[in-house]
């Protein structure tokens, strides 16, 4: 990513935010980062530490997109993360988006199947 950025190209990285804090900080210096948060699979405290690491660096942009499935648990987790992010320094520099999880073919609201959610 650093080499591509050095050559003058725009670098955009889509991630689930599970990388190490060190890698997140390094990446923030060379790329725009989009974190797709699926609450069924996300360690929230690790994600928050990575957001802090990213926003602590001169960065090219950060987007945090919360993918909210059609369950009360997911909606509650999204509101809790939104509240938790308010205490992150420089959070106003990030785009924080809460979006319903939709089926890509029908655009209907989607809920993860029980086996995916670990139930």
């Amino acid at each position: 990513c650093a080499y591509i950025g050095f050559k003058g190209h725009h670098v955009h990285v889509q991630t689930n935010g599970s990388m190490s804090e060190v890698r997140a900080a390094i990446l923030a210096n060379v790329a725009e980062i989009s974190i797709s948060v699926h609450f069924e699979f996300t360690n929230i405290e690790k994600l928050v530490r990575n957001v802090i690491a990213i926003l602590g660096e001169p960065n090219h942009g950060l987007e945090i997109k919360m993918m909210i499935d059609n369950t009360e648990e997911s909606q509650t987790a999204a509101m809790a993360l939104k509240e938790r992010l308010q205490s992150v320094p420089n959070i106003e520099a990030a785009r924080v988006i809460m979006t319903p999880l939709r089926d890509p073919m029908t655009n209907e609201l989607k809920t993860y199947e029980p086996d995916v959610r670990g139930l």
Side-chain angles (χ1 to χ4, degrees):
C1 289
Y3 177 78
I4 293 168
F6 177 74
K7 289 294 191 176
H9 298 282
H10 176 82
V11 178
H12 179 98
V13 174
Q14 180 74 37
T15 178
N16 63 7
S18 65
M19 66 190 98
S20 72
E21 291 171 59
V22 171
R23 180 157 304 198
I26 291 169
L27 197 55
N29 285 286
V30 297
E32 176 182 66
I33 303 170
S34 291
I35 300 173
S36 183
V37 181
H38 294 260
F39 293 97
E40 295 76 14
F41 315 109
T42 301
N43 177 322
I44 297 298
E45 286 310 310
K46 183 173 187 171
L47 173 72
V48 170
R49 287 191 305 270
N50 284 337
V51 168
I52 291 168
I54 291 165
L55 293 175
E57 298 293 326
N59 67 71
H60 297 270
L62 173 63
E63 176 182 86
I64 304 164
K65 189 171 186 180
M66 295 183 230
M67 304 302 295
I68 307 165
D69 80 0
N70 197 19
T71 63
E72 185 176 335
E73 296 87 3
S74 184
Q75 294 165 13
T76 300
M79 294 305 294
L81 176 56
K82 183 178 178 185
E83 185 176 307
R84 174 70 176 86
L85 289 173
Q86 294 307 309
S87 66
V88 170
N90 301 321
I91 192 62
E92 63 280 354
R95 292 180 308 278
V96 179
I97 302 165
M98 298 174 73
T99 188
L101 185 63
R102 295 189 177 273
D103 184 293
M105 301 301 285
T106 66
N107 202 35
E108 292 179 12
L109 291 175
K110 187 174 180 180
T111 300
Y112 288 113
E113 298 299 322
D115 58 326
V116 174
R117 294 177 60 220
L119 301 176

